[in-house]
Each structure stands twice: as structure tokens, then as C-alpha cells.
Amino acid sequence: MTLLEINNLSKHFRSGGRDVTALDDVSLTLDPGQTLGLAGASGSGKSTLARIVMRLLPPDGGSIRFAGEDWLALSGKDLRRRRAKIQMVFQDVLGAFNPRATVASVLDDPLRIHEIVPKSDRPRKIAELLDRVGLQANLADRSIRDVSGGQRQRIAIARAIATDPALIVLDEAVSALDVSIRGKVLELLVELQRERDIAYLFVSHDLAVLRAVSHRITVMDGGRLVETGPARQVIDNPQSTAARALVSAVPRLRIQTPQGHSYEP
Amino acid sequence: MSTLCEIRDLSVTYHDQPNPAVGHVTLDIEAGGRLAIIGESGSGKSTLARTLAGLLPPRTRVTGEIQWTGGTPPRPGRDLGFVFQDPSSSLNPVLTIGEQVAEGARQHLGLGWKQALARTQEMLERVRIAQADRMLRAFPHQLSGGQRQRVAIAAALAAKPKILIADEATSALDVVVQAEIVALLDDLVRDAQMTLIFITHDIALASGFADRVAIFKDGRLVEAGPTASVLAAPAQGYTRTLLQSHLDLTSPPLVEEAAT
Ligand SMILES: Nc1ncnc2c1ncn2[C@@H]1O[C@H](COP(=O)(O)OP(=O)(O)OP(=O)(O)O)[C@@H](O)[C@H]1O
Ligand SMILES: Nc1ncnc2c1ncn2[C@@H]1O[C@H](COP(=O)(O)OP(=O)(O)OP(=O)(O)O)[C@@H](O)[C@H]1O
Ligand SMILES: [Mg+2]
Ligand SMILES: [Mg+2]
């Protein structure tokens, strides 16, 4: 069964003399336990799509079905109850947290609001969540501002998995992580996916990351989806101009030998 | 090349923290060079950057020495531009894009508002913001993540600083725009003798343009030197691990392929 089905979504922004078509007739589907990688130039509409799926922004037109229901028609208590099932890791992690929050309170909120575990069990659950994303439990009492950028990204991921969601929208969720930790977080996400059949809509500018975790990849350009296919096909043999430009601009590791010869390992 | 600053046995401990975030770092930064700082999450890269810029929170304990050639530390905003890792820390949510970028140019280059706005538009174009003239009146929340990052870069560069510290400043940009921004920074280093301190987790990106790299782990400087020699013949196991964990388009996927 399809978990997420998006049909003909459109969104326009008009403000301060600017007139932007952020989404233009976007349709896609995502099955449980699958990852759809979403790539595209800066400003092409990826976060707008993510925010509409999260119901943080209304579309101008189009429809979304989530778990068999008309997702855009839900409101009030029904929406609040189902919200636990879709989580998001935002691109601007710091901006997405209450600046006065501590690490513990960031993780405590979803556990409390969605009644995931009884109160007495929450500290244990928080420590467990931190551990899963490779962070030490002693960070719990720190202010969310007083941790490093990569630590904050991992806290956001821990918050997203706290409610046992069916879908997580990840918007540049691993972009500030160094290679070793990023590798671990990606492995964790894939492991959680296998364990709990979570689907990911994975937005990233990093094609190597998308290639590693996606079943399919879709490429956006100027608000439109211009190419969709199995991950390998889109990366190895891109068809659209947008996808080709992205693939060819990926920085290659250049190692110069002392004689001045350069090679790419 | 002359030295811009000499860091000697620098340790930085945040208020109420048992352990230093940066410990015993000794490093020379060359004037007019491109230094890439690479290392693990939480290893102290941003802390070192904030220390150089004089932007540490109150009650942080700093020991050791930072000697600036010329004696006085650079003034943030004027001599030194800083792009923060989180764009929301670089931009003021209640100012328009035009106001934030023009402010630096107006204050430090002594321009009037009109000239400052012209300089702003030029800078926005240089960081590849489309419809730059219309962007002047937009607010940060109306921009995409990558657009915000580019505005933060434009704001940091508007006052023509002699030093730019870019903390993961291109991490949310698509690779095409990222390459253009790196080329812009490269031009500024070459033509305006700017010193670039570039913090990144992307070792491939650094390998393409940094003259020198400094590798951090657990608050320590693991090794530093010319990019070519550090990457071709890493002296430390951690640097080798970093090179090996580099993910590229040919790395084996973690999930099974979808059927065609
Ligand atoms: N204001 C603060 N108060 C207390 N501890 C802090 C503060 N800022 C950072 N730290 C801690 O200092 C250490 C170094 O952080 P720093 O931000 O310098 O790391 P980083 O190398 O930039 O990491 P990242 O790649 O994740 O951004 C981390 O353990 C972090 O939790
Ligand atoms: N609230 C808003 N008001 C006006 N314009 C907006 C608003 N939000 C987004 N936009 C514009 O819509 C377009 C798409 O933005 P979006 O954030 O979806 O891009 P993106 O693909 O996520 O880019 P990036 O890779 O830079 O994060 C951009 O041109 C942006 O400036
Ligand atoms: Mg975005
Ligand atoms: Mg940092």
C-alpha cells in the first residue's frame, strides 16, 4: 500500500515585489519502508514541499493522501493525533528549537505530548534516544544553544524518531555532520527503517548521501520534478539538465602527490 | 607568505564545563591563505573560530596566546567577516535582506544608504541570488535555506573584510552554487589578499582549493600542514580514517536498489 501520495501540488509566493513559483504541479508517491531522495538546486522548492507535507504551510492546489486519509482535510484533534506519525528534521535546526530549551526538554516534549511513555520512564527514554544518535547522556541538561552544530542535528534526529513515526521528512538533516558521524547516523536511519518500516523523504544537496540511502531519487528544478528513477539510474545516468549539472559538480577528492601529480582515488 | 596570527597553546573552556572544548592548540595562520579546518562533530572547530573572532560567550576561560601581526586583534564586522554555521545566527529576523547586507557596508566603508544598497545588490549577485534587486525587500524567513546562507556570506563580505571565517557556510548549498561560492572566495583571496578560514566537513571540497588544512579531533589539533602533503601522506591515523570514510558517488549503497 502507498503511504504518501501527492498529486498536482502547487504553491506560489508573492511578496515584496518577488513572485516565485515554488511548486508547480508536483506529484509523487512513497511506500512504507522506502526512501525517496529529493535533490535540486537551492531555491528549487524542496523545503516548500517538505513544509506542505508537514502541514506547516497550505498549498495553493493539489492533494495529499497519507496512510489512506485525505491529509489536507484533517484538522483539530484528528490532525494533532496523527501528527506523531509524520516527523521532520528541519534544515535550520537552531531556528526550529525554542532557544530556551534544554536538550532534555526538546526530547521530553514529543514523549509527553504524544504520550509515548509514562512520566517516570521518560528520563530513561531520553537517555536511550541520545545514545541511539551517538550522544552522551550528560548533554541532557545543556541548553540547546550550548552544543555544537552537529550535536544539535543529531538531537533533532533523536526528536524525530521519538514518536515512532511512519514517515520522517529529513531536510538537509546530515549536512553539518562530519563523515564518520554522518556514516553512523545514515546507518542508524537505515536500521530504523528496516526495524520499523519507516519511510523517508530525504532532502539533501549531497548526492553521495542520497545515493547511499535512497531507493529512488527525484530531482527538482524551478518548482517541478524533472526526473525520477531508481537511485543508481539517476546518479549514474542522469537524463535532465538539472540532474546532469548536479552530478557533474560533485566535489571530487583530489590528492596531490609531492611531485605535483594529481589523482582522484 | 607572512603570518597573520600565531596561536600558542590555546585552551578554551566554556562556563561550568569540566573539560576544555579546545585544548593546547598551536597553529600559525598565514596571511592571504586558504586554511581549511576539518574534523569531527564537537571537536572544537567552531570554538576555535569564535575565539579568533572574539565572539565567545561571557565567562569562557581562555588560556594560551593568540598573537596577531600588527598587534591588535581584528575587529569583527570590519576587519573580520564571520559566517555562522546556523544561518539563523547570522541573520536578524526583523531586518530585510537589503538592510542586513547594507549595514556592514554603510558602517565600515562609510557609504551612504544609496551606495550601500548598490553594493548590497552587487554582493547578492555575486553570491548568485536570482532577482537580487527584488530580494532586497524580502525577510530572512521568506528565503530558502541556501538563499539564507548566501545572504549571510554576502553580509559578511560586504564590508570587504581582510579575514573571512566561514563556518560550514556552504553546507546547505547545492553543489553547483557551492562551486560558484568557492570560486568567489578564491577570487577574493587572490585579488584582495583576503585570508580565508574555511570550516568544513567536506574533505573533497577542501582538497580542491585549500592551501593548508588543520585536522581536529576531541578538541585537539591532530595535524596541520599544506593540503597536498597532509592528504597524500597523512601522519595520523585519524586523518587516514577521515579519508577512508569519504563517501562518493561510487560508494556502495546502504539500501537495496529499487526495481527499475
Ligand atoms: N556555549 C557552549 N557552552 C558549553 N559547551 C559548548 C558550547 N558551545 C559548544 N560547546 C561544546 O564544546 C565542544 C566543541 O564544540 P564546537 O561547536 O566547537 O564543535 P565543532 O567542531 O564546531 O562541531 P560541529 O562540527 O558539530 O559544528 C562540544 O562538545 C560542544 O558541546
Ligand atoms: N515564505 C516565503 N515567502 C516568499 N518566498 C518564499 C517563501 N518561502 C520560500 N520562498 C521562495 O520559494 C522558493 C523555494 O524555496 P524553498 O525553501 O522551497 O527552496 P529549497 O529547494 O528548499 O532551497 P535550498 O536548497 O536553498 O534550501 C525560493 O525562491 C524561496 O525564496
Ligand atoms: Mg531548503
Ligand atoms: Mg561547528
Side-chain angles (χ1 to χ4, degrees), chain A residues 15-18 41-42 91-92 94 142 148 150-152 154 175 177-179 194 205 211-215 232-233 246 254-256, chain B residues 17 39-42 85-86 88-89 134-135 142 145-146 150 171 173-175 201 204 207 228 232 242 253-258 260:
Chain A
S15 67
R18 252 178 14 119
S42 174
Q91 184 167 9
D92 188 351
L94 187 58
R142 274 248 200 114
S148 83
Q151 290 165 340
R152 211 177 285 130
R154 281 178 280 163
S175 63
L177 299 182
D178 66 273
V179 284
R194 288 204 189 109
H205 74 280
R211 172 81 175 87
V213 299
S214 306
H215 299 90
R232 182 212 301 264
Q233 184 183 307
L246 291 175
R254 260 190 211 112
I255 297 187
Q256 300 207 330
Chain B
Q17 293 304 315
E40 230 173 40
S41 171
Q85 187 165 359
D86 297 276
S88 57
S89 310
R134 305 213 167 149
M135 204 58 119
Q142 297 172 324
R150 283 177 280 159
S171 64
L173 296 180
D174 70 80
V175 285
H201 65 273
S207 76
L242 271 183
L254 299 172
V255 298
E256 267 176 45
E257 277 287 322
T260 318

Short mmCIF file of all heavy atoms in Angstrom, two decimals, chain A residues 15-18 41-42 91-92 94 142 148 150-152 154 175 177-179 194 205 211-215 232-233 246 254-256, chain B residues 17 39-42 85-86 88-89 134-135 142 145-146 150 171 173-175 201 204 207 228 232 242 253-258 260:
data_model
loop_
_atom_site.label_atom_id
_atom_site.label_comp_id
_atom_site.label_asym_id
_atom_site.label_seq_id
_atom_site.Cartn_x
_atom_site.Cartn_y
_atom_site.Cartn_z
N SER A 15 5.62 38.34 -2.65
CA SER A 15 5.89 39.24 -1.52
C SER A 15 7.01 40.19 -1.92
O SER A 15 7.92 39.81 -2.65
CB SER A 15 6.32 38.44 -0.29
OG SER A 15 7.56 37.83 -0.53
N GLY A 16 6.93 41.39 -1.44
CA GLY A 16 7.99 42.37 -1.63
C GLY A 16 8.48 42.48 -3.06
O GLY A 16 9.67 42.61 -3.29
N GLY A 17 7.55 42.38 -4.05
CA GLY A 17 7.96 42.53 -5.44
C GLY A 17 8.48 41.25 -6.06
O GLY A 17 8.72 41.18 -7.25
N ARG A 18 8.64 40.21 -5.21
CA ARG A 18 9.10 38.95 -5.74
C ARG A 18 7.92 38.05 -6.02
O ARG A 18 6.95 38.02 -5.28
CB ARG A 18 10.03 38.26 -4.75
CG ARG A 18 11.46 38.29 -5.22
CD ARG A 18 12.44 37.65 -4.25
NE ARG A 18 11.87 36.86 -3.19
CZ ARG A 18 12.14 35.56 -3.03
NH1 ARG A 18 12.90 34.92 -3.85
NH2 ARG A 18 11.62 34.91 -2.01
N ALA A 41 18.49 22.25 -7.14
CA ALA A 41 19.23 23.47 -6.87
C ALA A 41 18.64 24.22 -5.67
O ALA A 41 17.48 24.03 -5.31
CB ALA A 41 19.19 24.38 -8.10
N SER A 42 19.46 25.07 -5.07
CA SER A 42 18.99 25.93 -4.00
C SER A 42 17.85 26.80 -4.51
O SER A 42 17.97 27.41 -5.58
CB SER A 42 20.16 26.80 -3.53
OG SER A 42 19.71 27.73 -2.59
N GLN A 91 15.88 22.04 8.15
CA GLN A 91 17.15 22.48 7.58
C GLN A 91 17.89 23.41 8.54
O GLN A 91 19.08 23.27 8.77
CB GLN A 91 16.85 23.20 6.26
CG GLN A 91 18.06 23.64 5.49
CD GLN A 91 17.68 24.05 4.06
OE1 GLN A 91 16.52 24.15 3.73
NE2 GLN A 91 18.68 24.28 3.24
N ASP A 92 17.17 24.36 9.10
CA ASP A 92 17.80 25.29 10.04
C ASP A 92 17.46 24.82 11.44
O ASP A 92 16.49 25.24 12.05
CB ASP A 92 17.27 26.70 9.80
CG ASP A 92 18.03 27.73 10.63
OD1 ASP A 92 18.84 27.33 11.50
OD2 ASP A 92 17.81 28.92 10.41
N LEU A 94 18.72 25.13 14.45
CA LEU A 94 18.66 26.05 15.58
C LEU A 94 17.37 26.86 15.55
O LEU A 94 16.71 27.04 16.57
CB LEU A 94 19.88 26.99 15.56
CG LEU A 94 20.01 27.90 16.78
CD1 LEU A 94 20.11 27.09 18.06
CD2 LEU A 94 21.24 28.79 16.65
N ARG A 142 22.17 20.51 29.13
CA ARG A 142 22.69 21.69 28.41
C ARG A 142 21.59 22.43 27.69
O ARG A 142 20.64 21.83 27.21
CB ARG A 142 23.66 21.23 27.34
CG ARG A 142 25.00 21.06 27.83
CD ARG A 142 26.09 21.87 27.47
NE ARG A 142 27.25 21.06 27.79
CZ ARG A 142 28.08 20.59 26.90
NH1 ARG A 142 27.93 20.88 25.63
NH2 ARG A 142 29.08 19.85 27.27
N SER A 148 27.37 21.72 19.93
CA SER A 148 27.91 22.02 18.59
C SER A 148 26.82 21.82 17.54
O SER A 148 25.79 21.19 17.80
CB SER A 148 29.12 21.14 18.31
OG SER A 148 28.72 19.89 17.83
N GLY A 150 26.72 19.95 14.87
CA GLY A 150 26.46 18.57 14.53
C GLY A 150 25.73 17.83 15.65
O GLY A 150 24.89 16.97 15.40
N GLN A 151 26.05 18.19 16.89
CA GLN A 151 25.32 17.58 18.01
C GLN A 151 23.85 17.98 17.96
O GLN A 151 22.96 17.17 18.18
CB GLN A 151 25.96 18.03 19.34
CG GLN A 151 27.34 17.41 19.56
CD GLN A 151 28.16 18.09 20.66
OE1 GLN A 151 27.90 19.23 21.03
NE2 GLN A 151 29.16 17.38 21.15
N ARG A 152 23.59 19.24 17.60
CA ARG A 152 22.22 19.73 17.52
C ARG A 152 21.44 18.99 16.42
O ARG A 152 20.28 18.65 16.58
CB ARG A 152 22.26 21.23 17.24
CG ARG A 152 21.11 21.96 17.82
CD ARG A 152 21.25 23.46 17.57
NE ARG A 152 22.24 24.09 18.40
CZ ARG A 152 23.21 24.89 17.95
NH1 ARG A 152 23.33 25.16 16.67
NH2 ARG A 152 24.06 25.44 18.79
N ARG A 154 21.93 15.98 15.50
CA ARG A 154 21.61 14.64 15.98
C ARG A 154 20.48 14.66 17.00
O ARG A 154 19.67 13.74 17.08
CB ARG A 154 22.86 13.97 16.55
CG ARG A 154 23.74 13.44 15.42
CD ARG A 154 24.99 12.82 15.93
NE ARG A 154 26.00 13.82 16.26
CZ ARG A 154 27.04 13.59 17.02
NH1 ARG A 154 27.22 12.41 17.58
NH2 ARG A 154 27.92 14.55 17.25
N SER A 175 23.69 17.42 6.87
CA SER A 175 24.63 18.23 6.09
C SER A 175 25.75 18.83 6.92
O SER A 175 26.80 19.14 6.39
CB SER A 175 23.89 19.33 5.35
OG SER A 175 23.29 20.20 6.26
N LEU A 177 27.24 17.25 9.45
CA LEU A 177 27.92 16.19 10.21
C LEU A 177 29.20 15.77 9.50
O LEU A 177 29.24 15.65 8.29
CB LEU A 177 27.00 14.98 10.34
CG LEU A 177 25.69 15.21 11.09
CD1 LEU A 177 24.90 13.92 11.17
CD2 LEU A 177 25.96 15.75 12.48
N ASP A 178 30.23 15.52 10.30
CA ASP A 178 31.47 15.04 9.69
C ASP A 178 31.27 13.62 9.18
O ASP A 178 30.32 12.94 9.56
CB ASP A 178 32.59 15.08 10.72
CG ASP A 178 32.35 14.10 11.83
OD1 ASP A 178 31.66 14.46 12.79
OD2 ASP A 178 32.81 12.96 11.73
N VAL A 179 32.17 13.18 8.33
CA VAL A 179 31.96 11.91 7.63
C VAL A 179 31.73 10.71 8.54
O VAL A 179 30.88 9.87 8.25
CB VAL A 179 33.11 11.59 6.66
CG1 VAL A 179 33.01 12.44 5.42
CG2 VAL A 179 34.46 11.78 7.31
N ARG A 194 14.48 -0.50 8.52
CA ARG A 194 14.26 -1.95 8.42
C ARG A 194 13.45 -2.46 9.58
O ARG A 194 12.55 -3.27 9.43
CB ARG A 194 15.61 -2.67 8.40
CG ARG A 194 16.32 -2.46 7.09
CD ARG A 194 17.31 -3.57 6.79
NE ARG A 194 18.09 -3.17 5.63
CZ ARG A 194 19.38 -2.83 5.69
NH1 ARG A 194 20.04 -2.90 6.83
NH2 ARG A 194 20.00 -2.44 4.61
N HIS A 205 21.45 18.08 -0.56
CA HIS A 205 22.22 18.51 -1.72
C HIS A 205 23.36 17.54 -1.98
O HIS A 205 24.06 17.65 -2.96
CB HIS A 205 22.79 19.90 -1.46
CG HIS A 205 23.93 19.84 -0.49
ND1 HIS A 205 23.71 19.75 0.86
CD2 HIS A 205 25.25 19.74 -0.67
CE1 HIS A 205 24.87 19.63 1.47
NE2 HIS A 205 25.83 19.63 0.57
N ARG A 211 22.52 8.81 -2.77
CA ARG A 211 22.82 7.54 -3.43
C ARG A 211 22.93 6.43 -2.40
O ARG A 211 22.51 5.29 -2.64
CB ARG A 211 24.15 7.70 -4.18
CG ARG A 211 24.74 6.47 -4.78
CD ARG A 211 24.09 6.13 -6.10
NE ARG A 211 24.75 5.00 -6.73
CZ ARG A 211 24.42 3.73 -6.49
NH1 ARG A 211 23.46 3.45 -5.67
NH2 ARG A 211 25.07 2.75 -7.09
N ALA A 212 23.49 6.74 -1.23
CA ALA A 212 23.70 5.70 -0.21
C ALA A 212 22.40 5.24 0.45
O ALA A 212 22.27 4.08 0.78
CB ALA A 212 24.68 6.20 0.85
N VAL A 213 21.44 6.14 0.64
CA VAL A 213 20.26 5.76 1.43
C VAL A 213 18.95 5.65 0.64
O VAL A 213 17.97 5.14 1.17
CB VAL A 213 20.02 6.72 2.61
CG1 VAL A 213 21.20 6.72 3.56
CG2 VAL A 213 19.71 8.13 2.14
N SER A 214 18.93 6.15 -0.60
CA SER A 214 17.63 6.21 -1.30
C SER A 214 17.35 4.97 -2.12
O SER A 214 18.26 4.41 -2.74
CB SER A 214 17.61 7.42 -2.25
OG SER A 214 17.92 8.59 -1.56
N HIS A 215 16.09 4.61 -2.18
CA HIS A 215 15.66 3.60 -3.14
C HIS A 215 15.42 4.28 -4.48
O HIS A 215 15.86 3.82 -5.51
CB HIS A 215 14.40 2.90 -2.65
CG HIS A 215 14.61 2.19 -1.35
ND1 HIS A 215 14.41 2.79 -0.14
CD2 HIS A 215 15.07 0.94 -1.09
CE1 HIS A 215 14.70 1.92 0.83
NE2 HIS A 215 15.11 0.79 0.28
N ARG A 232 20.35 4.48 -8.45
CA ARG A 232 21.53 4.23 -9.26
C ARG A 232 21.37 4.86 -10.65
O ARG A 232 22.28 5.51 -11.17
CB ARG A 232 21.74 2.73 -9.41
CG ARG A 232 23.00 2.40 -10.22
CD ARG A 232 22.82 1.12 -10.99
NE ARG A 232 22.54 0.01 -10.10
CZ ARG A 232 23.48 -0.83 -9.65
NH1 ARG A 232 24.73 -0.66 -9.99
NH2 ARG A 232 23.16 -1.82 -8.86
N GLN A 233 20.19 4.69 -11.21
CA GLN A 233 19.97 5.19 -12.56
C GLN A 233 20.11 6.72 -12.62
O GLN A 233 20.76 7.25 -13.52
CB GLN A 233 18.57 4.76 -13.00
CG GLN A 233 18.20 5.12 -14.41
CD GLN A 233 16.76 4.69 -14.67
OE1 GLN A 233 16.37 3.53 -14.46
NE2 GLN A 233 15.94 5.63 -15.09
N LEU A 246 24.01 18.77 -11.48
CA LEU A 246 24.32 18.43 -10.08
C LEU A 246 25.36 17.31 -10.02
O LEU A 246 26.32 17.39 -9.26
CB LEU A 246 23.05 18.01 -9.34
CG LEU A 246 22.03 19.12 -9.09
CD1 LEU A 246 20.77 18.54 -8.47
CD2 LEU A 246 22.61 20.19 -8.17
N ARG A 254 40.68 15.31 -4.28
CA ARG A 254 41.90 15.45 -5.08
C ARG A 254 43.10 15.30 -4.20
O ARG A 254 43.26 16.05 -3.24
CB ARG A 254 41.95 16.86 -5.68
CG ARG A 254 41.50 16.85 -7.09
CD ARG A 254 41.75 18.15 -7.78
NE ARG A 254 40.68 18.21 -8.73
CZ ARG A 254 39.69 19.07 -8.69
NH1 ARG A 254 39.69 20.00 -7.80
NH2 ARG A 254 38.73 19.02 -9.56
N ILE A 255 43.91 14.34 -4.50
CA ILE A 255 45.11 14.15 -3.69
C ILE A 255 46.32 14.37 -4.57
O ILE A 255 46.47 13.73 -5.60
CB ILE A 255 45.11 12.75 -3.06
CG1 ILE A 255 43.91 12.65 -2.11
CG2 ILE A 255 46.42 12.51 -2.32
CD1 ILE A 255 43.84 11.41 -1.29
N GLN A 256 47.15 15.32 -4.18
CA GLN A 256 48.34 15.61 -4.97
C GLN A 256 49.53 14.90 -4.35
O GLN A 256 49.76 15.03 -3.16
CB GLN A 256 48.62 17.11 -4.97
CG GLN A 256 47.48 17.89 -5.55
CD GLN A 256 47.93 19.19 -6.14
OE1 GLN A 256 48.90 19.77 -5.67
NE2 GLN A 256 47.25 19.64 -7.17
N GLN B 17 31.88 24.11 32.42
CA GLN B 17 32.17 22.83 31.77
C GLN B 17 33.45 22.24 32.37
O GLN B 17 34.40 22.96 32.61
CB GLN B 17 32.36 23.00 30.26
CG GLN B 17 31.09 23.40 29.53
CD GLN B 17 29.96 22.42 29.76
OE1 GLN B 17 30.14 21.22 29.69
NE2 GLN B 17 28.78 22.95 30.07
N GLY B 39 37.23 18.28 10.79
CA GLY B 39 37.29 17.43 11.98
C GLY B 39 35.91 17.02 12.44
O GLY B 39 34.90 17.49 11.96
N GLU B 40 35.94 16.14 13.43
CA GLU B 40 34.75 15.55 13.97
C GLU B 40 33.76 16.56 14.52
O GLU B 40 34.16 17.62 14.98
CB GLU B 40 35.22 14.74 15.17
CG GLU B 40 34.74 13.37 15.19
CD GLU B 40 35.40 12.60 16.31
OE1 GLU B 40 35.59 13.13 17.42
OE2 GLU B 40 35.73 11.46 16.04
N SER B 41 32.50 16.18 14.53
CA SER B 41 31.48 16.99 15.19
C SER B 41 31.84 17.11 16.68
O SER B 41 32.17 16.13 17.32
CB SER B 41 30.12 16.31 15.04
OG SER B 41 29.18 16.97 15.83
N GLY B 42 31.79 18.35 17.20
CA GLY B 42 32.10 18.57 18.60
C GLY B 42 33.59 18.63 18.89
O GLY B 42 34.00 18.68 20.05
N GLN B 85 27.62 28.88 11.43
CA GLN B 85 27.16 27.58 10.98
C GLN B 85 25.63 27.55 10.83
O GLN B 85 25.12 26.98 9.88
CB GLN B 85 27.63 26.56 12.02
CG GLN B 85 27.40 25.12 11.67
CD GLN B 85 28.22 24.21 12.58
OE1 GLN B 85 28.95 24.65 13.46
NE2 GLN B 85 28.09 22.92 12.38
N ASP B 86 24.89 28.15 11.76
CA ASP B 86 23.44 28.22 11.63
C ASP B 86 23.07 29.56 11.04
O ASP B 86 23.31 30.59 11.67
CB ASP B 86 22.76 28.14 13.00
CG ASP B 86 23.04 26.81 13.66
OD1 ASP B 86 22.33 25.86 13.36
OD2 ASP B 86 23.98 26.76 14.48
N SER B 88 20.48 31.09 11.04
CA SER B 88 19.63 31.93 11.89
C SER B 88 20.47 32.73 12.89
O SER B 88 19.99 33.71 13.46
CB SER B 88 18.56 31.11 12.60
OG SER B 88 19.15 30.09 13.36
N SER B 89 21.73 32.32 13.11
CA SER B 89 22.58 33.13 13.99
C SER B 89 23.23 34.28 13.23
O SER B 89 23.69 35.25 13.82
CB SER B 89 23.72 32.30 14.58
OG SER B 89 23.25 31.13 15.15
N ARG B 134 15.00 42.46 -6.32
CA ARG B 134 13.74 42.22 -5.61
C ARG B 134 13.96 41.59 -4.25
O ARG B 134 13.10 41.66 -3.39
CB ARG B 134 12.87 41.30 -6.44
CG ARG B 134 12.67 41.83 -7.83
CD ARG B 134 11.34 41.47 -8.35
NE ARG B 134 11.08 42.26 -9.53
CZ ARG B 134 10.34 41.84 -10.54
NH1 ARG B 134 9.77 40.66 -10.47
NH2 ARG B 134 10.14 42.61 -11.56
N MET B 135 15.09 40.95 -4.10
CA MET B 135 15.38 40.28 -2.84
C MET B 135 15.64 41.28 -1.72
O MET B 135 15.50 40.95 -0.54
CB MET B 135 16.59 39.38 -3.05
CG MET B 135 16.70 38.23 -2.10
SD MET B 135 15.27 37.17 -2.16
CE MET B 135 16.03 35.64 -2.66
N GLN B 142 11.50 34.41 4.37
CA GLN B 142 10.93 34.22 3.04
C GLN B 142 11.94 33.62 2.06
O GLN B 142 11.67 33.54 0.86
CB GLN B 142 10.42 35.56 2.50
CG GLN B 142 9.30 36.12 3.34
CD GLN B 142 8.91 37.52 2.95
OE1 GLN B 142 9.76 38.33 2.57
NE2 GLN B 142 7.63 37.81 3.03
N GLY B 145 16.75 27.87 2.56
CA GLY B 145 17.90 27.70 3.42
C GLY B 145 19.20 28.11 2.74
O GLY B 145 20.04 28.80 3.31
N GLY B 146 19.36 27.69 1.51
CA GLY B 146 20.58 28.02 0.77
C GLY B 146 20.65 29.50 0.42
O GLY B 146 21.73 30.08 0.39
N ARG B 150 23.57 32.15 1.59
CA ARG B 150 24.28 33.03 0.67
C ARG B 150 24.16 34.49 1.08
O ARG B 150 25.11 35.27 0.92
CB ARG B 150 23.77 32.80 -0.75
CG ARG B 150 24.34 31.52 -1.34
CD ARG B 150 23.80 31.25 -2.70
NE ARG B 150 22.48 30.64 -2.64
CZ ARG B 150 21.61 30.66 -3.65
NH1 ARG B 150 21.89 31.30 -4.76
NH2 ARG B 150 20.46 30.04 -3.52
N SER B 171 27.43 24.42 3.54
CA SER B 171 26.96 23.05 3.77
C SER B 171 25.53 22.83 3.30
O SER B 171 25.12 21.71 3.09
CB SER B 171 27.11 22.66 5.23
OG SER B 171 26.28 23.49 6.01
N LEU B 173 24.24 24.27 0.53
CA LEU B 173 24.11 24.72 -0.86
C LEU B 173 24.23 23.55 -1.82
O LEU B 173 25.01 22.63 -1.58
CB LEU B 173 25.21 25.73 -1.18
CG LEU B 173 25.17 27.02 -0.38
CD1 LEU B 173 26.32 27.92 -0.78
CD2 LEU B 173 23.85 27.73 -0.59
N ASP B 174 23.48 23.63 -2.91
CA ASP B 174 23.67 22.59 -3.92
C ASP B 174 25.07 22.72 -4.48
O ASP B 174 25.70 23.78 -4.40
CB ASP B 174 22.60 22.70 -5.01
CG ASP B 174 22.79 23.92 -5.86
OD1 ASP B 174 23.64 23.89 -6.76
OD2 ASP B 174 22.10 24.92 -5.63
N VAL B 175 25.57 21.64 -5.06
CA VAL B 175 26.98 21.60 -5.45
C VAL B 175 27.34 22.62 -6.54
O VAL B 175 28.47 23.08 -6.61
CB VAL B 175 27.41 20.18 -5.89
CG1 VAL B 175 27.57 19.30 -4.66
CG2 VAL B 175 26.43 19.57 -6.88
N HIS B 201 33.15 19.96 6.76
CA HIS B 201 33.30 18.53 6.98
C HIS B 201 33.60 17.84 5.66
O HIS B 201 33.78 16.65 5.61
CB HIS B 201 32.03 17.96 7.60
CG HIS B 201 30.89 18.06 6.64
ND1 HIS B 201 30.11 19.20 6.55
CD2 HIS B 201 30.45 17.22 5.70
CE1 HIS B 201 29.24 19.02 5.59
NE2 HIS B 201 29.41 17.85 5.05
N ALA B 204 36.59 16.52 0.41
CA ALA B 204 36.78 16.62 -1.04
C ALA B 204 36.76 18.10 -1.45
O ALA B 204 37.58 18.56 -2.24
CB ALA B 204 35.68 15.85 -1.77
N SER B 207 39.94 19.66 -0.45
CA SER B 207 41.09 19.19 -1.23
C SER B 207 41.23 19.97 -2.53
O SER B 207 42.30 20.07 -3.10
CB SER B 207 40.97 17.69 -1.54
OG SER B 207 40.01 17.44 -2.55
N ALA B 228 48.33 19.35 0.16
CA ALA B 228 48.84 18.24 -0.63
C ALA B 228 49.56 17.23 0.24
O ALA B 228 49.32 16.02 0.13
CB ALA B 228 49.79 18.77 -1.71
N ALA B 232 48.06 13.50 1.00
CA ALA B 232 48.77 12.42 0.30
C ALA B 232 49.53 11.53 1.28
O ALA B 232 49.65 10.33 1.08
CB ALA B 232 49.74 13.00 -0.72
N LEU B 242 39.51 9.63 8.17
CA LEU B 242 38.67 10.63 7.51
C LEU B 242 38.67 10.40 5.99
O LEU B 242 37.62 10.44 5.35
CB LEU B 242 39.21 12.03 7.77
CG LEU B 242 38.73 12.78 8.99
CD1 LEU B 242 39.33 14.16 9.01
CD2 LEU B 242 37.21 12.86 9.01
N PRO B 253 25.88 1.49 -1.79
CA PRO B 253 24.70 1.99 -1.09
C PRO B 253 24.40 1.20 0.17
O PRO B 253 24.82 0.05 0.30
CB PRO B 253 23.57 1.80 -2.11
CG PRO B 253 24.16 1.30 -3.36
CD PRO B 253 25.59 0.96 -3.13
N LEU B 254 23.69 1.83 1.12
CA LEU B 254 23.30 1.17 2.36
C LEU B 254 21.98 0.44 2.22
O LEU B 254 21.59 -0.33 3.08
CB LEU B 254 23.18 2.21 3.49
CG LEU B 254 24.44 2.99 3.83
CD1 LEU B 254 24.13 4.11 4.81
CD2 LEU B 254 25.47 2.05 4.44
N VAL B 255 21.22 0.73 1.17
CA VAL B 255 19.92 0.09 0.99
C VAL B 255 19.93 -0.67 -0.33
O VAL B 255 20.73 -0.39 -1.21
CB VAL B 255 18.76 1.11 0.99
CG1 VAL B 255 18.69 1.83 2.31
CG2 VAL B 255 18.89 2.09 -0.17
N GLU B 256 18.98 -1.60 -0.42
CA GLU B 256 18.89 -2.33 -1.68
C GLU B 256 18.17 -1.49 -2.71
O GLU B 256 17.23 -0.78 -2.41
CB GLU B 256 18.17 -3.65 -1.46
CG GLU B 256 19.15 -4.76 -1.18
CD GLU B 256 18.43 -6.06 -0.87
OE1 GLU B 256 17.48 -6.37 -1.60
OE2 GLU B 256 18.83 -6.71 0.11
N GLU B 257 18.66 -1.62 -3.93
CA GLU B 257 18.08 -0.87 -5.06
C GLU B 257 16.59 -1.12 -5.23
O GLU B 257 16.10 -2.21 -4.99
CB GLU B 257 18.76 -1.36 -6.33
CG GLU B 257 20.09 -0.71 -6.60
CD GLU B 257 19.91 0.72 -7.05
OE1 GLU B 257 18.96 0.98 -7.79
OE2 GLU B 257 20.73 1.56 -6.65
N ALA B 258 15.90 -0.09 -5.68
CA ALA B 258 14.52 -0.29 -6.10
C ALA B 258 14.54 -0.97 -7.47
O ALA B 258 15.48 -0.80 -8.23
CB ALA B 258 13.83 1.04 -6.21
N THR B 260 13.74 -1.46 -11.25
CA THR B 260 13.55 -0.45 -12.31
C THR B 260 12.13 -0.51 -12.86
O THR B 260 11.58 -1.59 -12.99
CB THR B 260 14.54 -0.67 -13.47
OG1 THR B 260 15.80 -0.99 -12.90
CG2 THR B 260 14.68 0.57 -14.30
#
